[in-house]
Amino acid sequence: MIGVGKIKQYTNVLEKPISKGKQEVSLSAFAFLFSELVQYNQTHVDNISELERRLEDAGYAVGARVLELLCHREKGNRRETRLLGILSFVHSTVWKVLFGKVADSLEKGTEHEDEYMISEKELLVNRFISIPKDMGTFNCGAFVAGIVRGVLDGAGFPAVVTAHFVPMEGQQRPRTTILIKFAEEVLQREARLG
Amino acid sequence: MAPVAPRSGDAIFANVERVNAELFTLTYGAIVRQLLTDLEEVEEVNKQLDEMGYNIGVRLIDEFLAKSNVSRCVDFKETAEVIAKVGFKMFLGITATVTNWDADGTSCSLVLEDNPLVDFVELPDTCQGLYYCNILSGVIRGGLEMVSMKTEVTWLRDMLRGDDAYELQVKLLKQVPEEYPYKDDE
């Protein structure tokens, strides 16, 4: 009998149909994998900012691919051209797909025109991570900052994205804020589009 | 208190917190890419992936034993079944099948039909010797070593290299008896 019990073989990965994105793995599998990523990078760098940069670079690659995948699957290949559009895409769609929920909040920076902040009470990647005192302000959320930067860059909104801990009153663990600072050209284009 | 019966892989998977497999897949891809950039040699990357898997395995076994309530496995055959049915299901949401037992029951094959690590992946010509999923062999080796079994885990079939499934050969090298740090009579 032909093909009974065997999944169809595709010679070319491009011919395989895209999955619906409903498959799941356990959180601990991801946590173990992420911890190995951080530990591997720790042995290859001399200082904290180098470590953050490497995590961000890893996240950048993820972000670029996530953008392609989600644009095709969730948005029917429509492209975002406006700033608020892409920000809400990141805040809702990307967060929902990657972390299972929309981000806690999206705010515009008060001091600078080009700054926006996405905040999350507890980033999924930071759930099982504790930062030793001698690592100062290091935040493994740099990986998520890299993902956001990858998405924005791929969509044509170059930006500098960083992750920061913001201590909250009355809460033991600080909140994490992803700070997005758009490049000059993005704001100029946005102003031109009206 | 009556001993708690071991739970099936499906039941445990339904109870643990889960994340999107695509995040997992893409993160793993980023790791492999980073290794390839740093190490450049495919053999080195294979070894490093195995090392990372080993580190994961020695910690993963604790969580596995805690959540699954399996009792001590009587022999290696049972061990392999438990890994395939409960272990893979619990962490990756997939089931493996155990085949190809050799004559003395020390070597078997775990066959994976689908594998969340390799979604969207294609091996380029420059990386033909790469065992992309080598982290899995490290995880199994690390986990089993923590329960006193020294094993050797190798890939027999790899879909990224053109085969039709993923097949891991797990060979039991020896059972290491547990060493107690103190002598009983001191």
Side-chain angles (χ1 to χ4, degrees), chain A residues 24-25 27 40 54 73 97, chain B residues 17-20 22 38:
Chain A
E24 293 180 312
V25 297
L27 173 62
Y40 168 76
R54 284 180 72 116
R73 195 166 62 197
V97 168
Chain B
E17 282 191 57
R18 298 180 294 280
V19 300
N20 191 331
E22 284 165 358
D38 289 342

Side-chain angles (χ1 to χ4, degrees), chain B:
Chain B
M1 195 172 97
V4 185
R7 301 156 72 184
S8 78
D10 287 311
I12 307 171
F13 190 59
N15 277 332
V16 294
E17 282 191 57
R18 298 180 294 280
V19 300
N20 191 331
E22 284 165 358
L23 175 61
F24 183 72
T25 307
L26 290 173
T27 307
Y28 185 66
I31 292 178
V32 176
R33 244 193 323 274
Q34 226 176 27
L35 289 177
L36 280 168
T37 322
D38 289 342
L39 300 170
E40 284 170 30
E41 280 291 314
V42 163
E43 265 318 303
E44 287 295 311
V45 177
N46 285 338
K47 254 186 2 197
Q48 183 70 41
L49 282 176
D50 190 68
E51 269 296 307
M52 289 170 90
Y54 181 82
N55 293 338
I56 292 181
V58 302
R59 294 160 61 198
L60 187 124
I61 186 77
D62 276 334
E63 186 172 339
F64 174 73
L65 290 173
K67 293 219 166 107
S68 67
N69 284 325
V70 291
S71 50
R72 198 176 195 82
C73 289
V74 175
D75 58 8
F76 190 60
K77 283 200 169 164
E78 204 185 322
T79 311
E81 278 297 326
V82 162
I83 296 177
K85 296 284 173 290
V86 184
F88 272 105
K89 187 75 198 182
M90 213 171 120
F91 290 103
L92 295 178
I94 53 176
T95 18
T97 39
V98 188
T99 55
N100 276 353
W101 279 106
D102 71 343
D104 38 334
T106 53
S107 164
C108 67
S109 289
L110 291 172
V111 179
L112 300 160
E113 283 289 340
D114 77 319
N115 187 345
L117 290 173
V118 302
D119 278 338
F120 317 126
V121 175
E122 189 176 34
L123 280 187
D125 293 325
T126 49
C127 303
Q128 283 305 316
L130 180 67
Y131 284 115
Y132 188 81
C133 313
N134 217 23
I135 210 169
L136 288 179
S137 60
V139 170
I140 294 178
R141 187 169 64 89
L144 287 178
E145 189 158 321
M146 287 297 116
V147 284
S148 327
M149 282 181 252
K150 275 193 99 61
T151 51
E152 192 184 321
V153 187
T154 41
W155 285 100
L156 292 181
R157 280 190 286 166
D158 190 338
M159 260 168 132
L160 292 176
R161 295 184 171 200
D163 299 314
D164 51 355
Y166 293 96
E167 190 173 336
L168 270 170
Q169 185 187 46
V170 185
K171 202 162 120 159
L172 176 66
L173 295 175
K174 65 181 193 167
Q175 291 259 15
V176 183
E178 276 202 35
E179 277 194 24
Y180 290 99
Y182 313 103
K183 283 222 177 64
D184 276 345
D185 46 4
E186 278 181 354

Side-chain angles (χ1 to χ4, degrees), chain A residues 4 21 30 83 113 123 148 186:
Chain A
V4 166
F30 175 73
L83 194 67
E113 271 305 305
L123 270 185
V148 174
V186 175

Side-chain angles (χ1 to χ4, degrees), chain A residues 91-189:
Chain A
H91 166 267
S92 318
T93 315
V94 175
W95 236 257
K96 184 100 217 279
V97 168
L98 291 183
F99 307 122
K101 58 185 264 299
V102 301
D104 284 346
S105 69
L106 170 64
E107 291 154 0
K108 188 161 153 53
T110 41
E111 293 161 37
H112 301 277
E113 271 305 305
D114 53 356
E115 280 181 3
Y116 288 81
M117 295 165 303
I118 295 183
S119 299
E120 185 80 21
K121 192 162 149 215
E122 177 86 55
L123 270 185
L124 190 81
V125 301
N126 280 343
R127 237 172 81 215
F128 300 112
I129 295 193
S130 57
I131 314 280
K133 278 265 176 352
D134 56 350
M135 290 191 102
T137 54
F138 173 63
N139 190 338
C140 286
F143 183 69
V144 178
I147 295 181
V148 174
R149 189 167 69 92
V151 172
L152 291 176
D153 235 12
F157 294 83
V160 174
V161 188
T162 45
H164 305 273
F165 280 125
V166 174
M168 297 290 288
E169 290 176 20
Q171 276 174 32
Q172 250 195 340
R173 302 260 289 182
R175 200 172 66 152
T176 310
T177 297
I178 309 282
L179 183 64
I180 306 170
K181 200 174 161 73
F182 285 104
E184 198 44 50
E185 64 220 46
V186 175
L187 297 162
Q188 286 173 359
R189 186 178 67 208

